[in-house]
Structure formats: C-alpha cells, structure tokens
C-alpha cells in the first residue's frame, strides 16, 4: 500500500511523527511525505524533521508565504502533479491548515481516497481560515479520524455517514508521549534560564490576534502586567515578531518579556512540563499543556478544544481592552488538571489509524 501524506505547517510535522513510528514496523506500507513549503524557516520546519526523526520529504513544493488564495492555489497545482506521478492508495492530511485543504482537494478530484486526521473539530467561527479548511476537508474525506466522541457527533450532525467516522483520539497525545521519554529537564531549564514551576510559557500567533494592532497591543500589555508577577517566556512565531516590529512595539515588550525564537517540539514539551501556566492562542498548545499537567489560559474568543474548558483545566479569556485580562491570566495559575480523565483517547491513535486504513476496503472512496 502506498500512502502520500501532505504536510506544510509546524504542527503537522509533529502530528505525523507517531504515524512514521508505527509505519517503521509495517514494511508493507510505503509512506511518502509531501512538504508544501507553507512553513519554510529553519526553526519552523527543518528543526522539527531533525527533532522528530522524520524522513526527508520526497517532494517540497516551496510555496512559501502569500495570500490564502495564492498559497492554496500553488499547493493544489503542486500536489496534483505529485499525485499523478505517485498514484497512491491513500492521501492523508492532518489538521486544518491551507496545506490540509489543498492536499485533500487535489486528491479528491483525482479520485484518490482521502483520510483526514483531526476531523470533526469546530470553532463555529466562519471568519477563521482554519474553520473553513477543516469543514471543507471533512466533507470531502473518505475516512475521518475524529479526536473525541463530541467530534464524532458533530460530523454526524453535519450529515456525514457514521460509517466513515472513527473515534481514534488525538494523535498529538501520541506525539507528546513519544518525546516525553527523552526529555532532560535540567538541560532545558538551563538553556532557557527558567526555574521549574516558576514561569509562564506563552505563544501568540493567530491572525485574529496579530493582524489587528489594537488587539495585539491589548494582549501584550496584559503580558507586561503578568510579567511583574512571574517571568514570561515567549517563543515567538515569525508572524507575531513581524507584526510587533511593524507596529514599532517589539522593543517595548522585548525589554520585559523573555522573547525567544521558536523552539523544537521536544524543548516545547519540556517547557510545558516545567511551566506554572501556559498562555496561548495555539490549538496544539492547549492540549500539550493538558498532557503535561499544566493549566492553560486560552487567549481567544472560542476554542475547538471545548472539553478542556468544561473540565476546568483550561480557561478561555477573550482579548479585550479591559484591564481585568491580566487578572484573569494571573488567576489561571491556580487551576489544576491533575487526575482528570483524558477526553482525547489513550495515546495510541497512530496504531488505530493504520489498522483502520489497512481494513477499510469496501468503504466508498
Ligand atoms: C498556519 C496555519 C495555522 C497553524 C499555524 C502553526 C493556515 C491557514 N494556518 O498559520 O492553522 O496553527 O500555521 O504555526 O494554514 N512565516 C515565516 N516563516 C515561516 C512561516 C511563516 O516567516 O516559516 C510568516 C510569514 O510572514 C507568513 C506568516 O508567518 O506570511 C503566516 O504564515 P502562514 O503559513 O500563512 O500561517 P501561520 O500563521 O503560520
């Protein structure tokens, strides 16, 4: 069996690591990686392939940054060319990025069956590019690997046949388990100059938070306030660095927050485990925090990972000018997530996914 897997953005490199590991033990399956080039900086891409021991992509489409239409269009053309040559039995896409949608659409039009990992998530915010990508991808996929029972229910509510939907849990949980064994806490603490359970780990990168100057400023002013109480370590996405520099705000915040370049997945998991609190707008980090036992303040208006809010492990804080935003973040330090049952499976999603793909013959493609 030949599988082509299309990836392009940082979280997708992480999510395919458990699949690669399982497939090492299954020589009858040939996995071929297509990197769209959506993320291209060394620290956003190559570092992850090294860190997670991923095989070199057979193809890199080098699409780079541009508008959504241009980026997605270039990916569509590139992926179609690859699929015409490779003629795989399955196309796997992960998550909700432009690379996800382009990969799924190119394959579907060529009648190559599409499997979507991380299906059924919804923010119900139609203005969010990821929401458009995930809805469209789900509705053209032949097999949908959902992360939880509520994701399964959502897909069925939208009219997708339950025969195509499998609750396999969250593959990110597998990925965290994979790297946790190899972490050397003391080395990471020294490298980033942090003390165990005495700092806040933050990431901000979503366009809704970075592209609106007022909202960006609100978030960073709150972080400044928070940094009077705890050191704030901030591995910054290039989009956010650019936005702060454009707004001539970078130096103001750089003085008081520990702003650093993006870090590897292994270091990020170590930092998650050591942090007293995670503050983020990232989808992935909301769950990594949970898997590493840290409470998490989510700086967004809504989240796809509602279960963690309902369980009281994570708290949603909508960015606003209100000065209470810093207070709300500081209060989150006291939330706990110990002894909470994982709503996203048992950390063995990758095995389940491969078993299902090997056995779904007869399912409508
Ligand atoms: C993308 C995904 C998002 C995911 C995120 C993880 C979409 C619509 N969004 O957002 O779901 O959470 O990746 O990081 O697909 N840039 C660089 N170097 C890079 C990559 C990006 O400088 O290697 C800068 C460019 O200025 C670019 C901007 O970041 O314009 C945005 O990059 P893009 O890939 O469009 O989306 P992300 O914000 O990274």
């Amino acid at each position: 069996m030949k599988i082509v897997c299309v990836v392009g953005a940082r979280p997708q490199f992480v999510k395919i690591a458990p699949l690669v590991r399982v497939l090492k033990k299954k020589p009858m399956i040939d996995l071929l990686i297509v990197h769209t080039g959506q993320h291209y900086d060394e620290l956003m891409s190559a570092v992850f392939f090294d860190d997670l021991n991923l095989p070199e992509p057979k193809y890199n489409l080098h699409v780079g940054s541009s508008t959504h239409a241009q980026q997605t269009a270039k990916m569509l053309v590139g992926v179609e060319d690859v699929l015409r040559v490779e003629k795989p039995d399955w196309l796997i896409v992960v998550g909700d990025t432009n690379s996800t949608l382009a990969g799924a659409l190119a394959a579907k039009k060529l009648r190559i069956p599409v499997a979507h990992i991380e299906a059924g998530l919804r923010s119900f915010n139609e203005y969010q590019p990821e929401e458009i990508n995930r809805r469209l991808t789900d509705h053209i996929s032949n097999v949908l690997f959902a992360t939880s029972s509520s994701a399964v229910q959502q897909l069925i509510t939208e009219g997708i046949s339950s025969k195509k939907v499998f609750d396999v849990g969250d593959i990110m949980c597998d990925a965290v388990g994979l790297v946790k064994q190899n972490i050397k806490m003391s080395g990471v603490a020294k490298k980033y100059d942090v003390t165990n359970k005495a700092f806040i780990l933050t990431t901000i990168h979503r366009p809704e938070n970075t592209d609106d100057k007022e909202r960006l400023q609100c978030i960073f002013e709150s972080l400044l306030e928070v940094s009077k109480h705890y050191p704030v370590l901030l591995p910054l996405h290039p989009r956010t660095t650019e936005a702060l520099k454009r707004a001539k705000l970078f130096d103001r915040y750089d003085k008081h927050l520990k702003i650093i370049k993006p870090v590897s997945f292994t270091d990020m998991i170590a930092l998650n485990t050591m942090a007293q609190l995670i503050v983020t707008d990232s989808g992935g980090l909301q769950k990594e925090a949970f898997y590493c036992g840290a409470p998490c303040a989510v700086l967004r208006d809504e989240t796809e990972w509602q279960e963690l809010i309902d369980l009281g492990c994570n708290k949603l804080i909508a960015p606003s000018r209100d000065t209470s935003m810093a207070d709300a973040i500081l209060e989150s330090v006291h939330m706990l997530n110990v002894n909470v049952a994982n709503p996203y499976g048992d950390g063995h999603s990758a095995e389940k996914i491969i078993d299902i793909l090997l056995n779904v013959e007869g399912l409508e493609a």
Side-chain angles (χ1 to χ4, degrees):
M1 177 187 279
K2 188 195 269 188
I3 299 176
V4 165
C5 182
V6 174
V7 290
R10 180 170 60 171
Q12 294 169 323
F13 312 139
V14 172
K15 289 171 196 166
I16 63 166
L19 280 184
V20 167
R21 190 189 55 132
V22 170
L23 287 176
K24 277 191 183 140
K25 291 178 230 145
K26 308 245 182 220
M28 69 288 218
I29 302 181
D30 184 16
L31 177 76
L32 188 157
I33 296 173
V34 177
H35 188 328
T36 61
Q38 176 170 356
H39 285 176
Y40 44 86
D41 283 354
E42 164 93 12
L43 294 177
M44 298 289 284
S45 176
V47 161
F48 288 80
F49 279 79
D50 288 348
D51 185 29
L52 298 163
N53 241 325
L54 298 177
E56 275 288 299
K58 183 162 178 188
Y59 299 89
N60 190 322
L61 307 177
H62 296 292
V63 300
S65 304
S66 45
T67 65
H68 281 272
Q70 287 180 23
Q71 191 182 54
T72 313
K74 283 183 200 158
M75 290 173 188
L76 263 175
V77 174
V79 174
E80 186 185 63
D81 287 347
V82 170
L83 295 177
R84 280 186 189 283
V85 174
E86 297 291 343
K87 300 185 173 43
D89 301 292
W90 281 98
L91 183 287
I92 294 185
V93 284
V94 206
D96 55 18
T97 71
N98 291 341
S99 301
T100 311
L101 176 62
L105 195 51
K108 188 70 179 181
K109 294 270 179 90
L110 292 173
R111 298 199 171 195
I112 294 166
V114 176
H116 183 206
I117 299 179
E118 220 181 60
L121 293 175
R122 297 293 179 266
S123 66
F124 303 102
N125 175 356
E126 286 189 0
Y127 295 105
Q128 186 193 35
E130 291 82 359
E131 180 75 358
I132 303 164
N133 293 339
R134 56 172 88 96
R135 285 193 200 185
L136 295 176
T137 303
D138 280 343
H139 281 265
I140 57 173
S141 291
N142 299 90
V143 171
L144 295 93
F145 294 116
T147 45
S148 67
S149 52
S150 62
V152 171
Q153 198 45 53
Q154 178 61 33
L155 293 167
I156 291 167
T157 305
E158 290 179 19
I160 293 173
S161 160
S162 61
K163 285 192 206 138
K164 294 181 176 181
V165 181
F166 299 88
D167 181 357
V168 295
D170 177 22
I171 200 157
M172 189 69 114
C173 184
D174 301 28
V176 172
L178 251 182
V179 303
K180 252 189 169 175
Q181 310 142 15
N182 307 323
I183 288 174
K184 306 247 177 334
M185 296 295 180
S186 56
V188 175
K190 207 165 153 204
K191 184 170 169 187
Y192 297 102
D193 188 23
V194 290
T195 307
N196 196 23
K197 298 297 170 200
F199 71 100
I200 291 179
L201 176 66
T202 299
T203 73
I204 299 293
H205 81 279
R206 290 206 167 258
E208 72 246 33
N209 284 339
T210 60
D211 296 2
D212 172 342
K213 185 178 165 192
E214 194 180 319
R215 196 162 157 123
L216 182 70
Q217 207 165 351
C218 288
I219 292 173
F220 275 81
E221 288 300 319
S222 302
L223 293 175
L224 271 194
E225 202 50 43
V226 168
S227 72
K228 291 177 187 161
H229 303 264
Y230 301 93
V232 176
L233 180 69
L234 187 45
L236 211 53
H237 189 290
R239 168 199 282 283
T240 319
T241 305
E242 269 310 302
L244 288 174
K245 286 188 174 163
R246 245 192 340 263
K248 305 214 176 348
L249 290 169
F250 186 83
D251 292 343
R252 170 175 167 78
Y253 301 125
D254 193 33
K255 273 196 205 113
H256 303 283
L257 309 172
K258 292 167 91 174
I259 297 184
I260 58 170
K261 296 241 155 72
V263 306
S264 72
F265 183 63
T266 306
D267 282 6
M268 200 61 181
I269 294 306
L271 290 169
N272 264 284
T273 310
M274 286 188 284
Q276 191 166 6
L277 172 72
I278 315 293
V279 179
T280 189
D281 61 3
S282 152
L285 201 49
Q286 290 173 47
K287 287 170 299 146
E288 285 162 29
F290 173 71
Y291 300 140
C292 295
C296 178
V298 181
L299 302 191
R300 288 180 52 190
D301 297 333
E302 73 283 304
T303 176
E304 303 78 34
W305 305 101
Q306 185 60 38
E307 290 91 345
L308 298 179
I309 309 288
D310 296 341
L311 285 167
C313 303
N314 291 3
K315 182 158 86 178
L316 206 52
I317 302 174
S320 75
R321 276 213 244 171
D322 195 337
T323 46
S324 64
M325 195 177 151
D327 293 341
I329 294 175
L330 287 166
E331 278 163 23
S332 313
V333 165
H334 306 294
M335 294 189 306
L336 287 176
N337 81 5
V338 280
N339 301 327
V340 178
N342 183 357
Y344 306 123
D346 57 6
H348 293 280
S349 301
E351 286 102 321
K352 291 175 196 160
I353 288 169
I354 298 301
D355 279 352
I356 292 165
L357 287 183
L358 283 169
N359 291 297
V360 286
E361 260 172 63
L363 199 76
E364 174 214 351

